[in-house]
Amino acid sequence: QQPVQSPQAVILREGEDAVINCSSSKALYSVHWYRQKHGEAPVFLMILLKGGEQKGHEKISASFNEKKQQSSLYLTASQLSYSGTYFCGTALNAGGTSYGKLTFGQGTILTVHP
Amino acid sequence: SQTIHQWPATLVQPVGSPLSLECTVEGTSNPNLYWYRQAAGRGLQLLFYSIGIDQISSEVPQNLSASRPQDRQFILSSKKLLLSDSGFYLCAWSQVGYEQYFGPGTRLTVT
């Protein structure tokens, strides 16, 4: 079942912060975050594993609430380069019958203005 | 380092014509391989995934098929294209349990 992302779209000015949420109705093994620029392939940002720690990369970080099966992506002090569509992908388990396949949310469009 | 290639980058094909898209991965062995389709302004739809040579699972019934003749080669095919097959086709690889990395994609327009 497809995870649900919110909000569907966000408009920011440079320097502002944003939070993108990803929720699943099923127990998750991992949550993956990607950013896609218009006309390009998605680029991997980070992965959060069940039982793992909150991840961070420069001004982009994420958390995974296993009780709620929800992940949040935090973008602080946004830059123009952060513009794009953000997707979360969820995996129910590491391998086994699902072979680590991901189900992606519908995406959140982030626009950063000067 | 690992690299993933896809070709062609763009393709315009008439309805009813055949299709063959190729994806190759370098710098890793026995990867999981995936084919996705993305319609304009939409999310990523998983079409096929493969855990090894000739081991392919289909996610969505359709007129597409996939093959994996070599460890790091993944091919998406169709005998007769439909208008609804238009979209952005993405190949991705991963090691089991880890993140997926996408190729540059093929933009297919069926006319």
Side-chain angles (χ1 to χ4, degrees):
Chain A
Q1 189 170 358
Q2 184 180 35
V4 177
Q5 289 185 231
S6 63
Q8 292 187 348
V10 184
I11 299 176
L12 302 172
R13 293 211 175 270
E14 270 188 297
E16 292 182 339
D17 302 339
V19 180
I20 300 172
N21 299 306
C22 174
S23 298
S24 174
S25 59
K26 296 189 176 183
L28 301 176
Y29 170 77
S30 64
V31 180
H32 306 222
W33 285 98
Y34 293 81
R35 177 172 60 211
Q36 184 177 29
K37 301 278 188 178
H38 182 68
E40 300 178 4
V43 173
F44 171 74
L45 294 175
M46 63 186 69
I47 180 174
L48 299 107
L49 302 176
K50 179 180 178 181
E53 297 178 355
Q54 180 170 340
K55 299 286 187 178
H57 176 68
E58 296 182 347
K59 297 178 181 177
I60 300 176
S61 61
S63 63
F64 179 20
N65 186 324
E66 295 174 33
K67 289 184 179 180
K68 294 184 177 180
Q69 301 306 322
Q70 178 176 319
S71 177
S72 296
L73 185 70
Y74 306 95
L75 301 106
T76 58
S78 60
Q79 306 169 12
L80 294 176
S81 60
Y82 286 6
S83 292
T85 302
Y86 289 77
F87 292 97
C88 68
T90 56
L92 299 184
N93 48 53
T97 56
S98 74
Y99 304 114
K101 67 177 184 179
L102 300 178
T103 303
F104 285 89
Q106 79 280 16
T108 295
I109 301 172
L110 180 75
T111 305
V112 181
H113 291 298
Chain B
S1 63
Q2 299 84 12
T3 310
I4 179 168
H5 303 278
Q6 283 187 249
W7 62 91
T10 59
L11 192 60
V12 180
Q13 293 284 91
V15 169
S17 64
L19 174 73
S20 181
L21 303 181
E22 190 165 341
C23 169
T24 59
V25 181
E26 298 176 354
T28 187
S29 59
N30 197 30
N32 283 5
L33 295 173
Y34 310 85
W35 276 113
Y36 291 89
R37 178 170 61 201
Q38 186 175 37
R42 304 292 296 275
L44 298 158
Q45 180 187 34
L46 180 63
L47 301 175
F48 301 93
Y49 64 95
S50 171
I51 62 168
I53 294 174
D54 295 330
Q55 296 178 283
I56 298 166
S57 295
S58 174
E59 284 294 291
V60 181
Q62 59 220 321
N63 68 322
L64 299 173
S65 62
S67 61
R68 185 171 176 175
Q70 300 180 40
D71 180 47
R72 290 171 289 178
Q73 183 184 29
F74 206 21
I75 297 171
L76 183 69
S77 304
S78 174
K79 292 183 179 179
K80 290 185 178 181
L81 285 169
L82 307 172
L83 284 174
S84 58
D85 290 326
S86 293
F88 192 36
Y89 287 82
L90 291 155
C91 180
W93 74 272
S94 75
Q95 293 296 337
V96 176
Y98 294 91
E99 62 271 20
Q100 294 184 14
Y101 292 95
F102 289 85
T106 295
R107 195 163 302 280
L108 171 67
T109 302
V110 182
T111 59

